[in-house]
Amino acid sequence: MSTPEPRPALLSRGSWPEARRIASILRTETAGGILLIIAAAIGLIWANTPWSHAYEALRDFQVGPAGLHLNLSLETWAADGLLAVFFFVVGLELKREFVAGDLRDPRRAALPVVAALGGMIGPALIFVAFNLGNGDAVRGWAIPTATDIAFALAVLAVVSSHLPTALRTFLLTLAVVDDLLAVTVIAIFYTDELHLPYLGLAVIPLAAFAFTVQRRIRSPWVLIPLALLTWWLVHQSGVHATVAGVLLGFTVPVLATRAGPDNPSAQDPGLAEVFEHRIRPITAGVAVPIFAFFAAGVTIGGIDGITDSLTDRVTLGIAVGLVAGKALGILTTTFLTAKLTHAELDTDLSWVDVAGVALLGGIGFTVSLLIGELAFTGQPLREDHVRIGILIGTLTAALLATIVLRLRNRTYRRIAEKEARDADHDGIPDVYQHGD
């Protein structure tokens, strides 16, 4: 009599190299998330003080060469320029995940991809349900679909949650796929006017950049001009410039190469790892916080202002979409994936843990604010209501996730101790044991 095959485990711990890489990323993103929260709070508070006119003057101050159509406000430079660098890192991370990470295995990749799709469909449906018949408001359907991984990890750091490695990896990968879906939505649905000649010309420096990095040339004097030219041409084409960042990131090689004939056993790390190591601290510590500072500065107008915004279906659709839509979308698709694949949750976890991560997915800030600006350009009142909806939804999702995860923190501590014992037994370096 044959022994039945064990059922596949859902959200089991991945390989040690992947866990070590994820731990390094999470440390950077957590620090960046704390800076993001501080910067957003400063912008929000400043915009609601008697000195708000100074904030608005700074936000609207224009700089840049007019001859290149780049005489832009600082707020626009943050959204179109700094976030393009952020999305370059997103492109690097995505390629690394699917070329060299645990997610090169389609069975492991399926769950975060499906969960990200569910996390997009759920809030989009809720937003549309709130705004059917509300004029052009449905144009903002994608606003509550984005997850801000830096903000989410900052919440984890604040609540001191010892979230297991498998759940942290799931959250990070889900957010990265979520970013890819978001930039795809931006390119397809929020491009009002497309100038094909500029878009066609952008292929030339993009191909040159790809050829250069494939030859393992790292010189910033070569790569930065090619990247800037690609960015400018995409910006001029009408497609949002952040798309250029993702495309450039996709061209960078991931796999390691032989170091040279003098030492053939040594290997150079893939350029994606090198670039990510250098650029991620800049995006997490500078680019995203600056964008948050300018994007979060909404004048609330006291209790009356909050009351007015909460009667707007756009605000309600965003807030409910981020909290309920994200959680239900991620949790439902994860549960259905388990049923369809006959998989079981890892024995250390329960569906409450998945619900906590799903609530963290409702922390949508950076990309949500970007999509909000694109959806309602030239409508300042609606843009303010969008920002209030994002703030309310994000803070509510963060609070609920904190409650759920804190209730399970004793279990997480036990899992962390078990992972540490396994690491000691296998001779794994300390970085895996303390991947917070």
Side-chain angles (χ1 to χ4, degrees):
M1 183 175 179
S2 61
T3 304
E5 293 186 5
R7 300 178 72 178
L10 204 66
L11 295 176
S12 59
R13 186 156 34 120
S15 64
W16 168 67
E18 183 71 357
R20 181 177 60 176
R21 186 176 70 84
I22 294 294
S24 176
I25 292 173
L26 293 180
R27 282 194 293 272
T28 303
E29 291 289 359
T30 300
I34 294 171
L35 290 176
L36 181 154
I37 294 172
I38 294 172
I42 292 173
L44 180 62
I45 293 169
W46 191 356
N48 288 276
T49 66
W51 304 279
S52 60
H53 62 281
Y55 172 82
E56 293 169 0
L58 177 64
R59 184 185 62 194
D60 298 334
F61 181 77
Q62 292 191 330
V63 64
L68 295 176
H69 305 286
L70 291 178
N71 189 26
L72 309 174
S73 68
L74 292 180
E75 181 182 25
T76 304
W77 274 114
D80 291 13
L82 293 179
L83 283 194
V85 183
F86 164 77
F87 275 104
F88 176 73
V89 175
V90 169
L92 294 175
E93 178 60 26
L94 266 170
K95 189 170 182 181
R96 287 192 68 196
E97 285 282 355
F98 289 99
V99 172
D102 281 353
L103 298 184
R104 66 186 181 276
D105 179 355
R107 292 172 298 180
R108 296 186 70 90
L111 179 60
V113 170
V114 170
L117 285 170
M120 174 172 280
I121 293 170
L125 290 176
I126 287 178
F127 183 89
V128 171
F130 268 93
N131 288 279
L132 280 176
N134 190 21
D136 67 345
V138 291
R139 179 172 169 77
W141 64 269
I143 296 171
T145 62
T147 295
D148 193 315
I149 185 61
F151 204 140
L153 292 173
V155 170
L156 282 181
V158 171
V159 302
S160 300
S161 174
H162 293 72
L163 199 67
T165 302
L167 289 177
R168 289 184 180 232
T169 303
F170 174 62
L171 175 63
L172 176 64
T173 310
L174 183 151
V176 170
V177 176
D178 187 288
D179 285 336
L180 175 63
L181 295 174
V183 80
T184 303
V185 165
I186 289 170
I188 296 174
F189 295 99
Y190 295 102
T191 299
D192 293 326
E193 189 176 355
L194 185 62
H195 302 286
L196 290 176
Y198 281 110
L199 196 60
L201 287 172
V203 174
I204 298 173
L206 178 63
F209 184 93
F211 175 79
T212 304
V213 293
Q214 291 296 327
R215 301 271 302 200
R216 298 310 198 268
I217 296 173
R218 306 183 185 186
S219 172
W221 300 106
V222 176
L223 297 179
I224 291 178
L226 291 172
L228 288 175
L229 183 56
T230 304
W231 174 87
W232 180 74
L233 289 168
V234 172
H235 183 270
Q236 293 299 106
S237 74
V239 177
H240 198 268
T242 52
V243 176
V246 174
L247 295 177
L248 288 165
F250 281 164
T251 68
V252 180
V254 169
L255 300 179
T257 57
R258 296 292 182 188
D262 296 334
N263 191 7
S265 62
Q267 285 190 329
D268 279 335
L271 277 189
E273 180 179 347
V274 174
F275 289 168
E276 188 178 342
H277 179 72
R278 292 177 179 175
I279 300 174
R280 185 181 289 277
I282 298 173
T283 63
V286 179
V288 173
I290 289 176
F291 170 79
F293 168 75
F294 287 120
V298 54
T299 302
I300 296 175
I303 300 298
D304 291 339
I306 295 177
T307 303
D308 289 342
S309 65
L310 289 178
T311 61
D312 185 357
R313 286 190 279 169
V314 169
T315 305
L316 293 173
I318 293 170
V320 177
L322 283 172
V323 178
K326 269 288 186 182
L328 290 174
I330 294 171
L331 190 58
T332 300
T333 49
T334 303
F335 180 79
L336 291 176
T337 300
K339 291 300 180 183
L340 292 174
T341 59
H342 304 289
E344 292 181 341
L345 275 180
D346 189 83
T347 53
D348 290 326
L349 303 176
S350 74
W351 285 105
V352 174
D353 304 315
V354 181
V357 173
L359 285 167
L360 283 174
I363 298 176
F365 196 75
T366 305
V367 180
S368 291
L369 288 169
L370 174 62
I371 295 175
E373 292 182 2
L374 296 175
F376 301 120
T377 301
Q379 303 180 52
L381 180 60
R382 184 155 280 175
E383 286 183 356
D384 285 348
H385 287 177
V386 165
R387 291 168 180 167
I388 292 173
I390 292 171
L391 288 170
I392 292 174
T394 293
L395 294 175
T396 303
L399 177 61
L400 293 176
T402 298
I403 293 172
V404 172
L405 296 177
R406 289 295 295 176
L407 290 174
R408 294 281 293 167
N409 213 27
R410 182 175 298 177
T411 300
Y412 298 155
R413 286 181 183 275
R414 187 168 64 250
I415 295 173
E417 291 172 359
K418 178 181 177 182
E419 290 180 348
R421 287 197 301 270
D422 291 344
D424 287 338
H425 181 266
D426 294 334
I428 293 173
D430 188 65
V431 66
Y432 180 73
Q433 301 176 38
H434 303 287
D436 289 347

